[in-house]
Amino acid sequence: MLPSEHRLRRREDFATAVRRGRRAGRPLLVVHLRSGATDPHAPGESAPPARAGFVVSKAVGGAVIRNVVKRRLRHLMRDRIGLLAPGSLVVVRALPGAGDADHEQLAQDLDAALQRLLGGGAR
């Protein structure tokens, strides 16, 4: 499970990540990343931890399927949150095919999207 301090909860944080961040789309999900805005070397400021949020709409499936997808994505992000700069905001939006995908397929799409956003992949 993704630790509490790494979860996005406020509407404003979701909006900031989606509107002002970079986006990488994959067949099963879209990842929005807003890199950390605070300067870790500024005096008196400590950078907040990177935080992630998830959007799984009814297009993915019924309530049970949506919750399964959210749990899988939270579990996958737990291992990957350390790759992000402190203060980063990530929103993972599941697309309709995510409800039928298995854990490995979601992991591959998430890894590919994060790699692209973090500068490791070509368009």
Side-chain angles (χ1 to χ4, degrees):
M1 188 60 73
L2 191 62
S4 178
E5 66 268 11
H6 292 292
R7 292 189 197 162
L8 277 183
R9 289 195 175 87
R10 294 183 7 189
R11 179 184 184 104
E12 297 84 22
D13 293 337
F14 277 88
T16 299
V18 171
R19 292 188 184 134
R20 296 185 181 161
R22 296 176 54 218
R23 179 181 69 207
R26 303 296 304 158
L28 299 177
L29 44 87
V30 177
V31 178
H32 300 268
L33 173 65
R34 168 89 168 146
S35 294
T38 58
D39 181 12
H41 302 293
E45 273 191 45
S46 63
R51 293 177 293 155
F54 306 94
V55 178
V56 184
S57 74
K58 287 184 180 180
V60 173
V64 173
I65 300 298
R66 290 195 310 269
N67 283 320
V68 166
V69 170
K70 279 189 275 190
R71 282 196 307 270
R72 286 179 178 170
L73 290 173
R74 277 197 305 264
H75 178 76
L76 291 168
M77 257 334 264
R78 179 188 67 184
D79 298 331
R80 292 157 179 83
I81 199 83
L83 301 173
L84 306 173
S88 295
L89 305 176
V90 179
V91 173
V92 180
R93 183 167 46 95
L95 297 176
D100 299 326
D102 64 5
H103 189 77
E104 285 301 316
Q105 292 170 320
L106 286 173
Q108 288 173 356
D109 273 9
L110 182 60
D111 286 338
L114 287 174
Q115 183 178 9
R116 181 173 164 200
L117 290 171
L118 295 173
R123 288 187 168 232

